[in-house]
Amino acid sequence: MKKIVDYRKLLGVNEAAELQELKTNYRNMMKTWHPDKFQDESRIEAEEKSKTIIEAYHFLVSIAPETRGQSLNEYTLTTSSSNIADFEYKSQVLKITFLDGNAYEYFDVPKAVYIKLINADSPGRFARRHIYNEYVYRSVNKLVATA
């Protein structure tokens, strides 16, 4: 997904980056781009840049393997025992809301897979077989984990 690639490039990390590396790069960039260090017009640019850096950091932390590992038991319980309440698809992001109140976003889901989900006799069974363990996901309920 372009968003993931762009955020990784912005923070200067690769796919294998751990939370500590993300945190270090984030802090160093915020030291450079903190708006309080700038005056006049450049301050506005620094505010925008810092907002983008913060957004990138929070997003990458939310999809990091360590973050997903922290909530793996809850994720497994939800995807194996709770039914789908609703789902929506936009720009290759599939958001699935479950009856237990949890919601997850799945990234880089092809439109063809989404169409198959819509047409499936049992969307829950289809999702268990073809979505839950196939795509990068993040919890919508808990967007930040501790680094």
Side-chain angles (χ1 to χ4, degrees), residues 2-146:
K2 186 170 176 13
K3 184 177 184 178
I4 296 171
V5 172
D6 289 346
Y7 283 165
R8 284 184 178 141
K9 187 184 290 186
L10 175 68
L11 290 180
V13 296
N14 61 22
E15 286 182 38
E18 295 184 6
L19 286 177
Q20 191 57 47
E21 182 181 356
L22 278 172
K23 186 176 184 178
T24 302
N25 288 8
Y26 163 74
R27 285 184 171 177
N28 289 336
M29 290 190 75
M30 286 307 295
K31 286 177 187 174
T32 304
W33 286 100
H34 198 281
D36 290 346
K37 294 177 77 174
F38 295 88
Q39 301 295 324
D40 304 326
E41 293 85 33
S42 57
R43 182 182 181 101
I44 295 169
E45 179 187 349
E47 285 176 0
E48 291 302 315
K49 182 77 170 180
S50 65
K51 286 178 186 177
T52 305
I53 293 167
I54 292 168
E55 181 182 330
Y57 172 71
H58 287 290
F59 181 85
L60 291 176
V61 166
S62 72
I63 65 168
E66 294 99 323
T67 305
R68 289 186 290 163
Q70 290 173 0
S71 61
L72 183 61
N73 290 339
E74 181 182 354
Y75 176 74
T76 303
L77 181 65
T78 296
T79 57
S80 63
S81 64
S82 184
N83 290 328
I84 295 173
D86 192 19
F87 53 85
E88 68 179 82
Y89 182 79
K90 184 177 181 182
S91 302
Q92 290 194 317
V93 176
L94 175 64
K95 179 181 175 186
I96 298 180
T97 306
F98 294 89
L99 290 176
D100 68 358
N102 288 317
Y104 294 93
E105 288 180 329
Y106 298 87
F107 300 97
D108 289 337
V109 178
K111 188 167 188 157
V113 172
Y114 173 66
I115 290 170
K116 288 179 182 178
L117 174 67
I118 292 172
N119 295 325
D121 291 336
S122 171
R125 186 180 325 132
F126 179 85
R128 275 191 290 283
R129 291 181 179 168
H130 303 286
I131 295 173
Y132 296 157
N133 297 314
E134 300 296 322
Y135 298 99
V136 174
Y137 67 88
R138 73 175 181 166
S139 172
V140 176
N141 303 352
K142 300 176 192 139
L143 290 180
V144 179
T146 55

